């Protein structure tokens, strides 16, 4: 009988420890809801900044998101800044602050398709690896297509030359893009 009680205590302690460990891991990797992505483009040669927005306030699976078309001038370079928000809360929560604070675990990818845009000059994290909350976009000749922006979460696994397929996708949005 003594052995059965001891066994029961050991098993119960193991379950409690395992339960606590799982909860701690879940809290560390709490996923943020990103309902809005704002792209602000400022012509480097001067002129007014323009902000383009992707918004899906009810989250995935609900109503379709609203997406602005990005319009660029040919042969023009732009400073780009991104902002990630959770507008399901009031007031809206600026997720960009957390992304920058955890820069070593995040990376933003830009993928133009059929539109002649080159993205360069991404800002870096503390280890000198790309973060991408700011960048430089250079528009080429007149063209139409899309520009996909993907925010990846890569805790403890970010490395130079990472493919967009590595890590967990926090948000991925595709903006229709036109150079005219």
């Amino acid at each position: 009988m003594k052995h059965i009680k001891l066994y029961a205590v050991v098993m119960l302690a193991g379950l409690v420890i395992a339960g606590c460990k799982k909860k701690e891991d879940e809290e560390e990797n709490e996923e943020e809801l990103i309902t809005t992505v704002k792209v602000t483009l400022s012509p480097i040669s001067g002129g007014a900044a323009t902000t383009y927005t992707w918004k899906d306030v009810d989250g995935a699976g609900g109503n379709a998101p609203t997406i602005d078309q990005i319009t660029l001038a040919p042969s023009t370079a732009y400073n780009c800044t991104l902002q990630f928000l959770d507008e399901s809360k009031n007031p809206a929560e600026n997720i960009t602050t957390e992304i920058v604070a955890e820069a070593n675990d995040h990376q933003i990818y830009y993928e133009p398709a059929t539109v002649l845009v080159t993205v360069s000059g991404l800002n870096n994290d503390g280890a000198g690896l790309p973060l991408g909350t700011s960048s430089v976009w250079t528009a080429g000749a007149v063209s139409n297509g899309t520009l996909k922006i993907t925010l990846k979460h890569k805790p403890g696994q970010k490395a130079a030359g990472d493919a967009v397929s590595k890590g967990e996708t926090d948000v991925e949005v595709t903006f229709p893009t036109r150079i005219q």
Side-chain angles (χ1 to χ4, degrees), residues 1 19 36 38 60 62 67 83 86 92 94 99 102 107 137 140 147:
M1 187 69 164
T36 306
K38 291 185 177 183
I67 307 167
Q83 187 176 30
D86 177 359
N94 186 350
I99 293 166
E102 298 173 1
Q107 187 168 351
W137 293 18
L147 200 143

Side-chain angles (χ1 to χ4, degrees), residues 89-130:
K89 297 177 179 170
N90 190 7
E93 183 179 357
N94 186 350
I95 307 299
T96 316
T97 306
E98 182 178 327
I99 293 166
V100 171
E102 298 173 1
N104 292 347
D105 294 334
H106 289 90
Q107 187 168 351
I108 298 164
Y109 294 86
Y110 297 89
E111 297 175 86
T114 70
V115 66
L116 300 175
V117 175
T118 303
V119 179
S120 61
L122 278 65
N123 63 323
N124 293 324
D125 64 17
L129 297 172

Side-chain angles (χ1 to χ4, degrees), residues 2 22-23 28 33 52 59 64 70 72 87 95 99 108 114 126 131 136 139 154 157 167-168 176 178:
K2 224 180 197 182
K22 185 175 181 182
K23 186 175 182 179
E28 281 181 24
L33 175 62
Y52 302 94
I70 295 174
L72 306 171
E87 292 188 312
I95 307 299
I99 293 166
I108 298 164
T114 70
L131 173 58
V136 174
K154 302 177 172 195
Q157 58 180 318
E168 184 177 322
R178 168 179 283 168

Side-chain angles (χ1 to χ4, degrees), residues 48-179:
T50 305
T51 299
Y52 302 94
T53 304
W54 172 92
K55 188 179 288 198
D56 192 6
V57 177
D58 65 353
N63 295 321
T66 59
I67 307 167
D68 293 337
Q69 176 176 286
I70 295 174
T71 303
L72 306 171
S75 304
T76 303
Y78 298 86
N79 285 316
C80 171
T81 56
L82 297 182
Q83 187 176 30
F84 299 91
L85 303 169
D86 177 359
E87 292 188 312
S88 70
K89 297 177 179 170
N90 190 7
E93 183 179 357
N94 186 350
I95 307 299
T96 316
T97 306
E98 182 178 327
I99 293 166
V100 171
E102 298 173 1
N104 292 347
D105 294 334
H106 289 90
Q107 187 168 351
I108 298 164
Y109 294 86
Y110 297 89
E111 297 175 86
T114 70
V115 66
L116 300 175
V117 175
T118 303
V119 179
S120 61
L122 278 65
N123 63 323
N124 293 324
D125 64 17
L129 297 172
L131 173 58
T133 54
S134 66
S135 59
V136 174
W137 293 18
T138 305
V142 171
S143 56
N144 292 305
T146 61
L147 200 143
K148 182 176 8 176
I149 299 172
T150 307
L151 170 62
K152 296 296 252 189
H153 187 78
K154 302 177 172 195
Q157 58 180 318
K158 188 173 171 183
D162 278 350
V164 70
S165 59
K166 186 175 180 184
E168 184 177 322
T169 301
D170 285 337
V171 68
E172 182 175 271
V173 301
T174 302
F175 285 91
T177 305
R178 168 179 283 168
I179 301 173

Side-chain angles (χ1 to χ4, degrees), residues 1-10:
M1 187 69 164
K2 224 180 197 182
H3 291 359
I4 292 172
K5 286 182 183 179
L6 179 60
Y7 179 75
V9 169
V10 169

